[in-house]
Amino acid sequence: MSKKDLLELTGISYGQLYRWKRKNLIPEEWFIRKSTYTGQETFFPKEQILDRVEKIKNLKDDLSLDEIAGMFSTVPITTALERHELIERNIVSDIALKLYTQQFAEQQHFTFKEVLHIYILDKLLSKGDINLEEGKTLLQLLHDHFGKVEHAGGQLICIRKMGITSFILAQSGDIYFEEGVRVVFTMNLLTCIEECKLKWHGGESHG
């Protein structure tokens, strides 16, 4: 979509847009310069920019622009949280946390990557998309392969055929399944990372 359409549709100003760009809230590569009959114009990937602007507008009253930039950054969080903090701050449920530690090892400190895997599990369990046994399979897949797709437009896909559940980690692109396969859900991994970072930093998810 064009810059003009973006500003009109979202109600933000030219100045806001470029301030957010300077603060790294909107990636440089989303500003696409194209030649038109009126000269050079700036365009954006429509779904991505609209989603990002909406998130920034929802967060900016509660967080600084630097804090919001941290939510969208691909730079990994290097700190860890203690087990009791995860529960007390409602980042993940006790059920999801116990399933994770049963699967791997009892521990008191959790890295952001570990918390993210538990968060994804918790989200799917709470929605009723998967059961506890399927959750174990999911955790192993995330443990083994999540890093290969997390920043490449990655998706987590759950499919079922004849009662058998399978999980797929995929990068952006079309995916085709054999006849009889039902897609239970498709989850955007970058969205999950942003949501989990928001909880990690003590905010509450908006929308």
Side-chain angles (χ1 to χ4, degrees):
M1 67 185 306
S2 70
K3 180 169 62 183
K4 179 174 180 288
D5 289 343
L6 173 66
L7 299 182
E8 287 181 357
L9 189 60
T10 60
I12 64 172
S13 69
Y14 177 93
Q16 276 180 303
L17 176 65
Y18 281 87
R19 185 172 181 224
W20 293 350
K21 178 187 178 186
R22 288 195 305 275
K23 286 285 190 178
N24 297 316
L25 273 67
I26 300 175
E28 174 81 35
E29 59 267 25
W30 288 9
F31 289 73
I32 303 163
R33 300 284 289 171
K34 290 184 178 180
S35 295
T36 67
Y37 67 92
T38 56
Q40 286 279 322
E41 288 191 34
T42 301
F43 291 83
F44 300 88
K46 184 175 181 179
E47 290 184 11
Q48 291 169 288
I49 190 67
L50 289 178
D51 179 66
R52 180 61 58 89
V53 168
E54 186 64 26
K55 285 177 180 173
I56 296 169
K57 288 168 71 177
N58 286 337
L59 294 170
K60 67 184 178 66
D61 290 336
D62 300 319
L63 300 170
S64 70
L65 293 185
D66 288 336
E67 287 172 323
I68 298 172
M71 306 294 173
F72 302 136
S73 171
T74 58
V75 177
I77 295 173
T78 56
T79 54
L81 290 180
E82 293 188 26
R83 185 185 187 117
H84 72 89
E85 290 181 282
L86 298 178
I87 302 300
E88 289 170 4
R89 289 167 52 183
N90 198 31
I91 296 174
V92 296
S93 72
D94 192 47
I95 292 174
L97 193 53
K98 282 179 179 175
L99 190 64
Y100 183 88
T101 54
Q102 287 169 4
Q103 177 112 348
F104 298 108
E106 282 292 336
Q107 60 198 83
Q108 290 304 315
H109 295 85
F110 295 82
T111 65
F112 177 75
K113 187 175 181 180
E114 290 169 332
V115 173
L116 177 61
H117 294 177
I118 302 168
Y119 174 78
I120 292 171
L121 168 69
D122 194 25
K123 189 171 183 174
L124 296 173
L125 287 174
S126 65
K127 289 171 64 180
D129 286 335
I130 62 173
N131 59 38
L132 291 174
E133 201 58 41
E134 292 166 341
K136 294 177 184 177
T137 304
L138 171 62
L139 283 175
Q140 194 62 54
L141 175 69
L142 294 174
H143 180 270
D144 293 342
H145 301 293
F146 185 82
K148 299 169 186 173
V149 300
E150 61 180 315
H151 298 309
Q155 294 180 320
L156 171 65
I157 303 167
C158 176
I159 60 173
R160 288 200 181 108
K161 183 175 183 180
M162 299 178 69
I164 305 298
T165 299
S166 296
F167 297 101
I168 300 162
L169 283 173
Q171 293 184 7
S172 295
D174 296 328
I175 300 173
Y176 304 96
F177 302 104
E178 64 191 90
E179 189 176 347
V181 167
R182 180 170 74 89
V183 177
V184 181
F185 65 81
T186 300
M187 179 179 279
N188 183 297
L189 297 178
L190 282 178
T191 298
C192 286
I193 292 170
E194 290 170 10
E195 291 172 354
C196 192
K197 279 187 176 181
L198 187 58
K199 282 181 168 284
W200 181 281
H201 289 297
E204 294 184 358
S205 182
H206 294 68

